[in-house]
Amino acid sequence: MMNLPHALAAAVLVLITQSTFADTPLRTFYEKGNWHLNATSWIGDGTRSELTGEGLLIADESTQAGSGRCYLLNWEADPPKGAALEARVKVVSCSAPWGVNMMAADGIHEEGLTLFPDHLLLPHSGLSASFNTTDGFHTYRLEVKGSDVRAYVDGRLLIDGAGRYTTPANAGRNQCSFGAAASPATGTAIWEWVRYQSEKPEGALPAKPEVPSIEGLEVKVGDTVDIIPGPTYRSLFQFRDGKLAVADRRSDDGGKTWTKGDSSLGTSAFQFEDGEIIAPGFNTTKAGDGVFEVPLSRSTDGGKTFQRETARLNIPLGTGGTGDDGKYYPGPGVDHAMVQLRDGSLLMAMYGYFTTDTVLCPAFKPEWKVYKYRTWVMRSTDRGRTWNLRATVAYDPSVGAESFCEADLLQLPGGDLLCFMRTGGEPPKYTTPLYCSRSQDDGLTWSKPEPVADRGVWPNACRMQSGVLAVTYGRPDNWLAFSLDEGKTWTGHFCFYRGATTSYNTVAEVAPGTLLVVYDRRRLGPDGNLQSGIAGTFLTVTRR
């Protein structure tokens, strides 16, 4: 039986532990196959996870570079108020620091708690305590506040690191994590549950989509539907009759349900009034000086079947070059934008290099020779069989990380054209604004591009029946913004999806006042493995 002084000491310790966060609830990071909405992961080769009867088994059995299986959550801790990570765990093995680990970073400092079979270790501060972690499940708590870090087991303080929470947070990260977090180490443990306590500082984003108050608009986020399991991004295409397509999936009810179709559409397609559809590929090949070719798919039966052709592109100063993946491409890229001009001809956006474009892009390795991009438009008068250079939309190597690329075109009722362009996309250092340029003469001349959002890869825009313009963009995360004055000003920027994604999105009005945004997402499954796929989120947008 515990004697009275020891019992009182234990009770006081528990009270002190709880009072630090008395008003902050424990929130679920992981429990019984369920993950926090914003949980992400680092999953390397030589590792595995599985859902067992006892909990989530996480095993890193490799010491090769890049091995590790760690689950992360941006918890938005406020350093003066403190934060805590708590987990119920049974350790099987751990060979080195961080092999079985809990980590707490508050944006200023960070520390981990490594669970060895016979002891606990705070790797950065070097503090340790003997403890048998393999004899069953125990509740471990890593608590940080200011410059203090403490480790508890089953409510008992085992490591007091007052004044030892001093190691700078890597890249200023503010997150907690658990799992196997070091390539040189091996480790296996079963995690019954993981919970956390933190108080997010002012200005932090909420875990769920929260639409700001928008003058003149009421926006509500609706249901999210799964469209295609497995792949990364595929574009949304809207037929003239209102039916929808995403790759080889079709929807006849505005995106509520999806079935497999006969053919697959790419990222760029256009349908004429008579129903014919053309869809060019992305990569071009050089056919001669200033002449390029691109595969073109054409359908005369409403997209059920496609015939393959080759389109000719006349770009006098066009040239190939290295892409942002380090690979050489013999010609520039066809973007995801095509509109019909007032005279019936087509206008298509492209990006890449002219022979005069030789300013290196700092976001990529210098030896790759990735240059700042140029965006231009091509015009076709023969239904996409041949294209001629119309005009450069934007090129300014002093703008953004990459200059202008990944353009989308939006045609307004009066004939004006808007061109939205990416200028960077490697967060956090190379997250640069989304820009927009306007043409009032069918693409012959363009205004100086102006920023419309603080980030924006692969933008896509639509005009609603109400006259509201919507543009989707992102990286990090997925965002929407609106314009009530035909693109002169933009408002209501909000994040509708946070998590792992390419941030390549498409938006369309699928019913009066209803938008559907299609995007890819990667979520953690119950067994700790990533599940990827294409999803669509509905929003209602009402003009006041």
Side-chain angles (χ1 to χ4, degrees), residues 441-479:
D441 55 9
D442 290 329
L444 281 170
T445 60
W446 294 85
S447 66
K448 180 181 177 180
E450 300 290 343
V452 298
D454 65 352
R455 71 200 74 188
V457 304
W458 220 85
N460 184 251
C462 74
R463 187 180 190 274
M464 305 182 70
Q465 292 182 22
S466 64
V468 175
L469 307 187
V471 63
T472 183
Y473 59 97
R475 195 177 297 173
D477 307 318
N478 292 343
W479 294 70

Side-chain angles (χ1 to χ4, degrees), residues 232-237 246 267 336 406-408 434 455-462 470-481 494-508 516-521 533-537 539:
T232 53
Y233 186 66
R234 302 290 187 272
S235 293
L236 169 67
F237 179 75
V246 176
T267 57
H336 59 286
E406 292 188 348
D408 186 47
L434 172 69
R455 71 200 74 188
V457 304
W458 220 85
N460 184 251
C462 74
V471 63
T472 183
Y473 59 97
R475 195 177 297 173
D477 307 318
N478 292 343
W479 294 70
L480 271 169
F494 82 99
C495 178
F496 68 88
Y497 173 76
R498 299 184 69 191
T501 175
T502 63
S503 295
Y504 282 27
N505 318 313
T506 318
V507 61
L516 176 63
V517 190
V518 171
Y519 55 98
D520 64 279
R521 59 181 179 176
I534 311 300
T537 295
L539 302 99

Side-chain angles (χ1 to χ4, degrees), residues 372-423:
K372 294 291 190 81
Y373 291 117
R374 175 188 298 264
T375 287
W376 64 89
V377 286
M378 307 287 292
R379 179 171 176 259
S380 174
T381 58
D382 60 1
R383 292 192 168 227
R385 294 177 178 86
T386 57
W387 298 83
N388 295 300
L389 177 65
R390 182 73 158 175
T392 288
V393 178
Y395 175 73
D396 185 346
S398 69
V399 173
E402 304 171 359
S403 194
F404 299 97
C405 60
E406 292 188 348
D408 186 47
L409 296 171
L410 178 64
Q411 187 175 46
L412 303 179
D416 281 12
L417 300 171
L418 299 181
C419 183
F420 301 87
M421 293 166 285
R422 162 182 171 166
T423 62

Side-chain angles (χ1 to χ4, degrees), residues 306-350:
F306 283 87
Q307 297 76 45
R308 309 302 177 187
E309 304 176 6
T310 299
R312 178 188 177 98
L313 310 169
N314 297 311
I315 314 170
L317 293 178
T319 185
T322 307
D324 57 14
D325 57 0
K327 298 179 181 178
Y328 182 82
Y329 294 90
V334 174
D335 230 315
H336 59 286
M338 196 184 306
V339 297
Q340 191 167 32
L341 301 177
R342 287 172 285 193
D343 64 0
S345 62
L346 298 179
L347 197 72
M348 177 177 71
M350 296 186 67

